Amino acid sequence: QVRLLESGGGSVQAGGSLRLSCVAGGYTFTQACMPWIRRVPGKKSELVGVIYTGGGSPWYLDSVKDRFTISLDSAANTLFLDINSLEPDDTATYYCAARPQTVPECERSPSGYNFWGPGTQVIVSS
């Protein structure tokens, strides 16, 4: 059974940094699209970036691409999201997700992903 588990969230001051981690279990994602998605209650879920585990550069939402970095430790089956210069608008629950596929073009909508973790909450205070 595929399992994704995020960690690393917390409460931080604006301007700070966080590293979120997502450990994948039950499946080795050698060819999969793995995004980070954030959700704020009452708002539409937002896919902030995605990486294809088979190779290639991550894609980022324009509004975060200067501050967010997605990376992958394939040996540890772990996905990371580094967030710098945190802003109050970054406050959300962050989810990693996965969609095994053999083509490197990744869906940029949250609805395209069938495996999700439970999320980790990030709160940014001004």
Side-chain angles (χ1 to χ4, degrees):
Q1 184 177 355
V2 175
R3 299 180 306 275
L4 299 171
L5 184 62
E6 305 90 341
S7 62
S11 295
V12 295
Q13 295 236 314
S17 300
L18 276 178
R19 166 168 268 206
L20 307 184
S21 300
C22 170
V23 178
Y27 187 90
T28 301
F29 291 103
T30 53
Q31 288 183 302
C33 289
M34 295 192 72
W36 284 97
I37 297 162
R38 65 185 180 186
R39 183 182 287 166
V40 176
K43 292 189 177 179
K44 193 175 169 184
S45 294
E46 188 172 56
L47 192 152
V48 295
V50 60
I51 191 168
Y52 182 65
T53 62
S57 299
W59 173 87
Y60 300 98
L61 199 61
D62 279 347
S63 59
V64 306
K65 65 182 178 182
D66 294 331
R67 300 185 297 114
F68 286 30
T69 303
I70 293 175
S71 59
L72 185 67
D73 182 343
S74 298
N77 240 18
T78 301
L79 181 73
F80 300 101
L81 177 65
D82 289 296
I83 311 175
N84 297 314
S85 303
L86 278 154
E87 302 171 353
D89 282 348
D90 294 323
T91 295
T93 300
Y94 286 74
Y95 301 85
C96 68
R99 174 176 167 163
Q101 61 185 63
T102 57
V103 293
E105 287 76 36
C106 294
E107 175 66 53
R108 296 175 184 177
S109 168
S111 62
Y113 294 87
N114 43 357
F115 299 110
W116 289 60
T120 186
Q121 189 172 38
V122 172
I123 299 171
V124 185
S125 56
S126 56

